[in-house]
């Protein structure tokens, strides 16, 4: 094809995407149905995973939950079935590739083909780089990054065969912007951002556009995972309410949104990062309170709240 024509067509696609993004800012696009879908959520035993599981079950999906927390897992399944929904809870340590392999075969046999995978489980050590042990770092990557890879590898072939599927990776704004005191977590989340972007491109160029991907990058949420963390300007960068975050993620999933950052200012901060010279970055971080963000972190060890 003539290169000029190709350029014009590309520009047309870019501008029409911008046009529709502006329209959808005011009028959300239609939502898809998840009735009858089999949706697997890792880390569904608490926090965001549980809230998504309850919401998706209410819409008629069959929910499969994987978690290492037996009590939390059973509680999520109970909350769903008590409300007339369908849930299957499995103990699965997703930091272990062979356990993912065994659990995925069990799910295929006992429940059926998973049509939506929500990679949600995550952990944080909350330690400074100098204090992180090899075990901390490896575990963080196993849960926050490698599990996304192995779970996608386990379920993607069926999605391709059935020409239908959706992979949702719950990552973090810390997958775009480095945070003082979160080196292992940020590195694992940056990797997952890259994985999701590449996977989406590969699916597109292989002609598998019927499989959607959604990359979710929230700021801190009040689930307890980051208990103790403080934000300097709560009116600008609030600690998100977990129900609000779950509602926004649901909307992104149901409208096949490719990427969601919450709150919206994260989009601007990511752009700012690419414009401001790297030498000035620590001053912007300090002003935004990024130097002390993790100062009072206690995490799940100090806060047993579960949603
Ligand atoms: N809470 C926040 O501030 C925040 C902000 C941005 C992104 N996120 C991300 O959102 C996701 C959900 O976070 P949350 O706040 O609901 O956390 P959470 O601690 O409430 O839930 C995480 C769940 O993952 C499970 N899990 C941990 N290790 C596991 C393993 N090896 N195998 C199976 N399950 C395992 C835990 O048992 C828990 O039920 C995580 O990926 C997190 O990194 C959270």
């Amino acid at each position: 094809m003539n290169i000029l024509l190709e350029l014009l067509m590309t520009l047309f696609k870019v501008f029409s995407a911008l046009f529709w993004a502006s329209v959808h800012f005011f009028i959300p696009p239609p939502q898809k149905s998840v009735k009858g879908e089999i949706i697997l959520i890792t880390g569904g035993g608490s926090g965001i995973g549980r809230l998504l599981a309850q919401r998706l079950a209410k819409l008629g999906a069959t929910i499969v939950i994987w978690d290492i927390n037996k009590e939390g897992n059973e509680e999520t399944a109970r909350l769903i079935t008590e409300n007339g929904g369908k849930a299957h809870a499995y103990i699965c340590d997703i930091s272990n590739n062979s356990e993912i392999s065994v659990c995925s075969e069990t799910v295929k046999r006992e429940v059926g083909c998973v049509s939506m995978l929500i990679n949600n489980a995550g952990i944080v050590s909350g330690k400074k780089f100098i204090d992180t042990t090899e075990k901390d770092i490896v575990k963080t990557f196993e849960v926050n990054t490698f599990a996304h890879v192995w779970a996608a590898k386990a379920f993607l072939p069926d999605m391709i065969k059935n020409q239908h599927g959706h992979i949702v990776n719950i990552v973090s704004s810390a997958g775009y912007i480095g945070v003082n005191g979160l080196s292992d977590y940020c590195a694992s989340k940056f990797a997952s951002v890259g994985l999701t972007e590449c996977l989406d491109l590969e699916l597109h160029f292989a002609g598998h556009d019927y499989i959607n991907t959604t990359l979710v990058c929230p700021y801190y949420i009040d689930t307890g995972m980051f208990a103790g963390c403080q934000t300097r300007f709560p009116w600008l960068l609030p600690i998100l309410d977990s129900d609000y975050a779950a509602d926004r993620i649901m909307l992104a999933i149901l409208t096949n949104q490719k990427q969601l950052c919450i709150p919206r200012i994260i989009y601007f901060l990511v752009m700012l990062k690419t414009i401001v010279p790297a030498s000035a970055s620590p001053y912007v971080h300090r002003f935004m309170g990024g130097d002390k963000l993790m100062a009072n972190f206690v995490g799940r060890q100090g806060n047993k709240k579960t949603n």
Side-chain angles (χ1 to χ4, degrees):
M1 193 195 297
N2 180 309
I3 191 94
L4 194 65
L5 189 63
E6 199 181 330
L7 175 67
L8 284 174
M9 280 178 68
T10 306
L11 287 174
F12 173 76
K13 288 277 183 198
V14 171
F15 283 107
S16 61
L18 281 170
F19 169 77
W20 284 112
S22 332
V23 170
H24 292 150
F25 184 81
F26 299 102
I27 312 160
Q31 298 182 16
K32 67 180 178 185
S33 165
V34 289
K35 198 163 190 242
E37 303 274 340
I38 297 178
I39 302 180
L40 189 145
I41 307 177
T42 67
S46 74
I48 291 299
R50 173 177 292 170
L51 295 175
L52 293 178
Q54 288 176 281
R55 282 160 173 75
L56 289 161
K58 247 188 212 155
L59 297 178
T62 297
I63 305 299
V64 179
I65 318 150
W66 281 0
D67 207 298
I68 37 168
N69 176 351
K70 185 173 185 290
E71 221 176 280
N73 232 2
E74 285 169 1
E75 177 66 2
T76 303
R78 187 188 63 77
L79 288 167
I80 290 173
T81 47
E82 265 181 12
N83 279 298
K86 291 184 200 142
H88 304 260
Y90 294 89
I91 301 295
C92 182
D93 180 356
I94 60 156
S95 67
N96 183 333
N97 180 12
S98 33
E99 209 161 306
I100 291 184
S101 222
V102 172
C103 291
S104 57
E105 288 310 315
T106 310
V107 168
K108 287 178 200 179
R109 207 174 45 247
E110 294 180 359
V111 189
C113 270
V114 169
S115 53
M116 188 187 293
L117 165 67
I118 305 185
N119 282 313
N120 162 77
I123 54 167
V124 58
S125 73
K127 293 180 189 169
K128 289 215 177 294
F129 176 73
I130 202 77
D131 301 322
T132 46
T133 60
E134 184 183 339
K135 199 172 155 210
D136 292 329
I137 297 168
V138 169
K139 194 60 144 184
T140 300
F141 271 85
E142 281 171 346
V143 176
N144 295 0
T145 314
F146 292 140
H148 291 202
V149 178
W150 311 134
K153 277 194 175 282
F155 298 110
L156 193 57
D158 276 346
M159 293 183 189
I160 293 173
K161 197 170 81 196
N162 299 331
Q163 304 209 340
H164 176 70
H166 197 153
I167 296 179
V168 181
N169 286 342
I170 310 287
V171 188
S172 170
S173 55
Y176 275 128
I177 302 170
V179 180
N180 179 36
L182 269 183
S183 62
D184 52 345
Y185 185 79
C186 285
S188 69
K189 295 292 185 180
F190 267 65
S192 189
V193 167
L195 166 73
T196 317
E197 284 185 5
C198 293
L199 180 61
D200 187 68
L201 285 172
E202 274 194 29
L203 289 170
H204 174 76
F205 289 120
H208 303 313
D209 281 322
Y210 41 79
I211 300 174
N212 299 293
T213 66
T214 298
L215 170 66
V216 180
C217 296
Y219 187 61
Y220 290 141
I221 311 170
D222 69 358
T223 56
M225 184 182 194
F226 280 93
C229 291
Q230 282 153 351
T231 179
R232 185 171 190 195
F233 301 114
W235 52 274
L236 191 66
L237 267 174
I239 306 267
L240 300 166
D241 170 72
S242 43
D243 277 305
Y244 167 77
D247 287 340
R248 288 293 293 110
I249 297 169
M250 280 296 291
L251 188 63
I253 293 173
L254 298 176
T255 57
N256 291 332
Q257 191 174 327
K258 290 235 178 267
Q259 190 196 346
L260 170 72
C261 289
I262 31 176
R264 278 204 172 103
I265 193 167
I266 298 293
Y267 295 111
F268 172 73
L269 293 177
V270 173
M271 191 181 70
L272 191 68
K273 180 188 148 172
T274 62
I275 298 169
V276 170
S279 57
S281 171
Y283 302 102
V284 178
H285 273 259
R286 189 186 293 274
F287 178 74
M288 294 300 292
D291 56 334
K292 300 197 182 74
L293 214 58
M294 292 295 290
N296 298 315
F297 170 86
V298 286
R300 284 248 169 251
Q301 306 306 318
N303 182 343
K304 296 290 175 206
K305 175 185 170 189
T306 52
N307 279 298

